[in-house]
């Protein structure tokens, strides 16, 4: 046979040998999916204190947006699309939005709506890769971006005379387009 199974009688655990599943395997309290093959994790993460245990996997969408000075008054989008994959405590997030109006809020620009809050570890900022189109600013040395500890947003800045200068509402137009790729650690 293809499977060599030895189960412990009390816990139905594989104690030796090789296990092969025809379709799906449920982990924890998860019910295996009937729609295809794979490993199914429970809807609510079953946290493990063992650093060598993969205890969560998830794929989904999130709502990417922008704020200026923390405000979003009048901001509208012609398109917003964003997806993520969560493997353990690592988040792989991608997103793109196109503005149809930058609204009337003023102040520093931030990309909002990350699917999970970043881990609460001081100085463990995550850096995003960005592409900006149809922006008003002339960026002398490239845009920088970071997601600070315990945050669900990415701040935007550019290097000017050796220091970071925040991108502002005035640096955006009503047709600005932002594309983001970010890998970060979450505490969730």
């Amino acid at each position: 046979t293809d499977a060599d199974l030895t189960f412990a009688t009390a816990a139905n655990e594989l104690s030796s040998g090789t296990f092969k599943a025809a379709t799906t395997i449920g982990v924890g309290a998860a019910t295996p999916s009937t729609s295809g093959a794979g490993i199914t994790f429970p809807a609510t993460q079953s946290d493990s204190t063992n650093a060598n245990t993969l205890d969560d996997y998830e794929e989904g969408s999130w709502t990417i947006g922008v704020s200026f000075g923390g405000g979003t008054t009048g901001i509208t989008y012609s398109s917003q699309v964003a997806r993520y994959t969560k493997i353990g405590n690592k988040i792989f997030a991608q997103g793109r939005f196109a503005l149809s109006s930058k609204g009337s809020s003023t102040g520093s620009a931030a990309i909002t709506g990350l699917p999970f809050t970043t881990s609460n570890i001081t100085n463990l900022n995550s850096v995003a890769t960005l592409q900006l189109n149809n922006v008003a600013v002339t960026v002398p040395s490239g845009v920088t971006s970071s997601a600070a500890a315990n945050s669900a947003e990415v701040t935007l800045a550019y290097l000017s005379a050796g220091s970071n200068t925040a991108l502002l509402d005035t640096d955006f137009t009503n047709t600005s387009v932002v594309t983001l790729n970010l890998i970060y650690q979450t505490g969730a």
Side-chain angles (χ1 to χ4, degrees):
T1 70
D2 285 341
D4 174 11
L5 301 174
T6 304
F7 288 101
T9 56
N12 284 341
E13 294 178 359
L14 183 63
S15 60
S16 66
T18 304
F19 175 75
K20 183 185 232 181
T23 56
T24 62
I25 299 170
V27 176
T31 302
S33 170
T34 58
S35 62
I39 299 172
T40 305
F41 285 86
T44 302
Q45 181 180 358
S46 177
D47 286 331
S48 171
T49 57
N50 183 330
N52 298 315
T53 299
L54 176 60
D55 56 12
D56 195 19
Y57 179 89
E58 182 179 327
E59 298 173 0
S61 61
W62 56 287
T63 304
I64 188 172
V66 66
S67 68
F68 300 113
T72 59
T73 303
I75 296 174
T76 58
Y77 302 89
S78 58
S79 68
Q80 289 171 283
V81 62
R83 301 285 184 265
Y84 72 88
T85 301
K86 181 178 189 284
I87 303 172
N89 67 357
K90 293 289 185 250
I91 310 301
F92 300 83
Q94 295 176 288
R96 179 185 182 278
F97 67 80
L99 292 175
S100 54
S101 173
K102 70 175 189 169
S104 61
S105 292
T106 61
S108 300
I111 296 175
T112 60
L114 292 179
F116 296 90
T117 302
T118 60
S119 62
N120 194 14
I121 301 173
T122 304
N123 297 322
L124 186 63
N125 293 4
S126 298
V127 177
T129 303
L130 290 171
Q131 179 178 351
L132 303 174
N133 297 96
N134 301 336
V135 291
V137 68
T138 301
V139 180
S141 298
V143 173
T144 63
S145 59
S146 66
N150 202 31
S151 175
E153 65 181 33
V154 175
T155 58
L156 305 176
Y158 62 93
L159 291 175
S160 177
S163 63
N164 282 334
T165 301
L167 261 72
L168 303 172
D169 59 287
T170 54
D171 297 320
F172 284 75
T173 69
N174 287 327
T175 59
S176 290
V177 178
V178 176
T179 303
L180 167 124
N181 282 293
L182 176 64
I183 300 171
Y184 66 99
Q185 181 174 318
T186 184

